[in-house]
Amino acid sequence: MGSITEVFKKSKKYWLIYLIFITITCMSTLSAKNFENPQFLIATFLIVAVLGIVCIVYYFMHDSENELYKVAFVIILCFGIITALIVPIVDVSDELEHLTRAEITSQGDIFPHWEGGKNNLTRLYNHTSEGKYSTALNTDVGFRTSQSHMFFLNNRENTVFDTPHDTDKISKSTILDGSAFEQNPFYGYIPQGIGVFLAKAFDMNVIWMLWLGRIFNLISYAFLISLAIKKTPVLKVPLLAVACIPLSIYQAASVSIDSMIIGLGILTIAYFIYLYKSDAQSLDTKHVALFCGLSLLLGLCKLPYLAFVFLILLVPQDNFKDRNILRYMLLGILIVALAGVLWSSYSEPALMHSWRSKLNYMDPALQAKYLINNPMFILEFLRMIFTYTLGITVNGLFNFFSAANPYHYSDHYTLITIFLWIFLSATLLFYPNKVKFNSKARVGSLLILLMVYVGTCFIQLLTWADVGNTNIGVSARYFLPLFALLPIIVPFKIKKLDEFKGKYDKYAMIFIIGFMATLILAFATKYY
């Protein structure tokens, strides 16, 4: 206990900076309604203030790079669990559909069964009493899930204080839900499915289907990130910074498969750095196989990320014992590519079992035909993704979209976003004692980043946008793992900063924790 007291006093300057930071950022999110009923906000502020100080003290008690992975696991869990509880009901983009898939997985059904019908998902037109026509997706087809789905549908973006039905028991009856992310791989929903299973097994209130699903998904994310931080020999703080971007934690503390994508993406990059920095002749074919396996798991969750497998070609071949290692690298890339093609042949038809296939005038075949007949449209698409779409990505790191509320984007959080830009620029682009990567690694990583970015936008053009239009519907969350490549790509180095690396890591950790606390406070001021 004496050592804790000593560390508490020693770290006083740092947790005072933390308290000042969250005070400023919290004040920037306040509105008039927060002064009418400030009790919840005050309680939340006190909780994150104390929790932040505890985490800072814990960090200083494990103030070595070899133990940073422990700190990563603890801080992600501490702030992530509060986020999971405070974020409103299925507020995260597409979270209701992810919850449906998690509930189906909790039944032991890893490949959801589509119950077809005469009309599939075509829109039904009904004449109303006012003489007008209303449209709704056909409900006699879909995936069988718990009747409790209706609680989440009817209370989307509400908090538990806004509804009396969060204490209802989980229904044993079933209904058909039109979409359940059938095109996604089953392992992306195992953690959430375990949480939903436990909520049903212990006959808990209906809200725990969501909360336990979120918490188990968060535990999985914390494990992947801590494993990544432990494995990488360098750039531990920059990777952790990407993992703890508020938008990353927002997704990790939901039931979305984006948690798995971000976690696996950062772990794959960390393993690449480990291979790149390994000693000469210390690696063998099993390392190639493991890296290709990680890339495959990531790519099946989001196909453009299959391009990460090309990182293996950037590892110096002198690091391997086998002088013919290149042939195994190429074989691994080929296997991953074939697996991706086979998976896409399953996932594309599965995507048609979704409201997305009927929401827009979307048709992949017609869109491809339009591209062939209108080559100038391709130039317009490229111009758009490197201007407007790129702006959305950069501006969206502290922007939390909800499909239930089209005005969600009106919360710009300008001051916090600027703070986040400054912090990420310093950490990802100008990190002190930055490890050098050769030109091949930097240029190759940049090309892979562009492949994933353009590929993601192009797939959205085919599977989301109206034919002949560029309304591709992307958001910053699609590209979060790409930020972890920036320290490898950017060669900037300021020698005068090298002597401050030890101090910089400490300040960086304070702001990493501070931004996670700010995320919680922003939701407290917005919804409570």
Side-chain angles (χ1 to χ4, degrees):
M1 184 63 69
S3 61
I4 295 177
T5 303
E6 183 180 339
V7 173
F8 178 79
K9 293 178 180 178
K10 183 180 178 181
S11 61
K12 179 180 178 181
K13 176 179 70 173
Y14 295 96
W15 54 256
L16 283 176
I17 292 173
Y18 166 77
L19 293 177
I20 293 171
F21 178 75
I22 65 171
T23 300
I24 293 172
T25 54
C26 180
M27 289 176 63
S28 72
T29 69
L30 294 175
S31 62
K33 74 180 184 67
N34 299 127
F35 295 95
E36 297 173 4
N37 295 290
Q39 295 89 343
F40 186 88
L41 175 58
I42 292 172
T44 303
F45 185 89
L46 292 175
I47 290 172
V48 298
V50 172
L51 187 61
I53 293 173
V54 170
C55 287
I56 291 169
V57 171
Y58 182 79
Y59 166 68
F60 276 90
M61 293 179 67
H62 300 80
D63 185 17
S64 72
E65 288 198 340
N66 292 333
E67 292 193 294
L68 187 61
Y69 73 96
K70 299 178 182 178
V71 179
F73 189 82
V74 169
I75 64 174
I76 290 173
L77 274 191
C78 287
F79 286 92
I81 289 175
I82 297 178
T83 303
L85 298 177
I86 199 173
V87 170
I89 297 167
V90 291
D91 176 84
V92 181
S93 184
D94 297 324
E95 191 172 21
L96 179 60
E97 188 174 354
H98 287 295
L99 182 60
T100 298
R101 179 64 187 272
E103 196 282 325
I104 293 171
T105 303
S106 75
Q107 302 174 29
D109 190 355
I110 61 175
F111 293 102
H113 172 65
W114 167 262
E115 295 189 17
K118 179 181 177 181
N119 297 310
N120 286 336
L121 281 178
T122 52
R123 290 188 176 274
L124 302 179
Y125 293 81
N126 300 306
H127 194 73
T128 65
S129 58
E130 291 80 10
K132 300 178 182 179
Y133 284 91
S134 64
T135 64
L137 290 177
N138 188 11
T139 57
D140 66 353
V141 296
F143 304 90
R144 193 154 295 280
T145 188
S146 170
Q147 176 74 37
S148 294
H149 170 89
M150 297 307 298
F151 162 78
F152 298 103
L153 177 64
N154 295 331
N155 289 282
R156 182 182 293 183
E157 209 175 79
N158 287 334
T159 71
V160 290
F161 300 115
D162 298 324
T163 174
H165 297 292
D166 59 299
T167 55
D168 293 349
K169 291 299 180 182
I170 299 170
S171 175
K172 292 182 172 58
S173 302
T174 61
I175 60 169
L176 287 173
D177 184 24
S179 294
F181 279 115
E182 181 188 1
Q183 70 273 18
N184 288 340
F186 71 91
Y187 55 83
Y189 294 93
I190 289 177
Q192 307 94 305
I194 292 173
V196 175
F197 172 81
L198 291 175
K200 293 190 293 186
F202 288 97
D203 196 26
M204 303 175 78
N205 297 339
V206 65
I207 192 62
W208 285 100
M209 288 179 65
L210 177 66
W211 282 351
L212 284 184
R214 285 176 171 178
I215 290 171
F216 274 81
N217 202 25
L218 177 73
I219 294 171
S220 171
Y221 180 78
F223 172 77
L224 290 174
I225 297 304
S226 62
L227 183 60
I229 302 303
K230 183 177 182 179
K231 195 65 180 177
T232 183
V234 295
L235 300 178
K236 292 178 182 287
V237 170
L239 292 188
L240 182 58
V242 175
C244 295
I245 290 174
L247 187 58
S248 298
I249 297 299
Y250 177 65
Q251 295 295 330
S254 73
V255 294
S256 172
I257 198 174
D258 286 348
S259 173
M260 185 71 71
I261 295 170
I262 301 167
L264 284 175
I266 293 174
L267 177 58
T268 304
I269 293 171
Y271 195 64
F272 161 69
I273 297 173
Y274 163 76
L275 297 179
Y276 186 91
K277 290 297 178 182
S278 294
D279 296 332
Q281 299 187 3
S282 62
L283 306 175
D284 53 35
T285 54
K286 72 179 180 182
H287 294 94
V288 175
L290 183 54
F291 182 83
C292 291
L294 278 174
S295 301
L296 181 60
L297 289 175
L298 170 63
L300 295 186
C301 292
K302 205 167 191 66
L303 284 175
Y305 279 97
L306 285 172
F308 269 30
V309 73
F310 291 112
L311 286 170
I312 194 65
L313 297 176
L314 308 181
V315 178
Q317 293 187 31
D318 290 341
N319 292 3
F320 293 90
K321 299 174 184 177
D322 193 333
R323 291 301 173 185
N324 297 313
I325 195 64
L326 180 60
R327 69 176 64 175
Y328 295 107
M329 291 179 176
L330 295 175
L331 177 62
I333 292 172
L334 178 62
I335 292 173
V336 170
L338 289 175
V341 170
L342 291 173
W343 182 258
S344 64
S345 66
Y346 161 78
S347 61
E348 184 179 349
L351 182 63
M352 303 306 291
H353 293 160
S354 164
W355 55 268
R356 292 164 184 79
S357 64
K358 302 299 178 183
L359 177 67
N360 303 327
Y361 297 102
M362 180 273 289
D363 188 308
L366 288 179
Q367 188 75 290
K369 184 177 180 180
Y370 185 86
L371 288 171
I372 294 172
N373 294 328
N374 299 272
M376 293 302 295
F377 180 73
I378 299 176
L379 295 178
E380 171 60 21
F381 166 71
L382 292 174
R383 184 200 65 79
M384 188 269 296
I385 67 172
F386 285 108
T387 54
Y388 175 74
T389 304
L390 189 59
I392 288 176
T393 301
V394 174
N395 287 312
L397 297 179
F398 202 89
N399 204 333
F400 311 104
F401 170 70
S402 169
N405 185 356
Y407 301 105
H408 219 353
Y409 275 123
S410 63
D411 300 320
H412 296 297
Y413 300 113
T414 304
L415 180 66
I416 300 171
T417 302
I418 292 174
F419 284 165
L420 192 55
W421 286 344
I422 295 171
F423 170 69
L424 289 177
S425 296
T427 306
L428 302 182
L429 306 182
F430 302 100
Y431 187 64
N433 279 338
K434 190 171 182 179
V435 179
K436 289 185 177 181
F437 291 83
N438 61 30
S439 298
K440 177 183 175 182
R442 293 202 307 270
V443 175
S445 297
L446 175 60
L447 291 175
I448 290 167
L449 181 149
L450 291 174
M451 288 172 64
V452 175
Y453 179 74
V454 176
T456 301
C457 293
F458 185 73
I459 288 177
Q460 287 291 111
L461 183 68
L462 295 179
T463 62
W464 177 265
D466 301 335
V467 174
N469 288 288
T470 57
N471 55 319
I472 59 176
V474 300
S475 66
R477 62 190 170 90
Y478 291 7
F479 309 113
L480 287 174
L482 298 183
F483 284 88
L485 286 174
L486 293 180
I488 299 172
I489 296 169
V490 179
F492 300 150
K493 183 176 176 64
I494 302 177
K495 292 184 178 180
K496 290 184 179 180
L497 291 178
D498 287 354
E499 59 186 276
F500 298 112
K501 182 184 183 300
K503 292 183 179 179
Y504 185 87
D505 284 356
K506 292 180 173 63
Y507 285 112
M509 286 301 303
I510 303 311
F511 288 109
I512 286 172
I513 295 171
F515 280 114
M516 289 193 290
T518 298
L519 167 66
I520 294 169
L521 293 171
F523 274 88
T525 58
K526 178 177 174 61
Y527 287 104
Y528 294 87

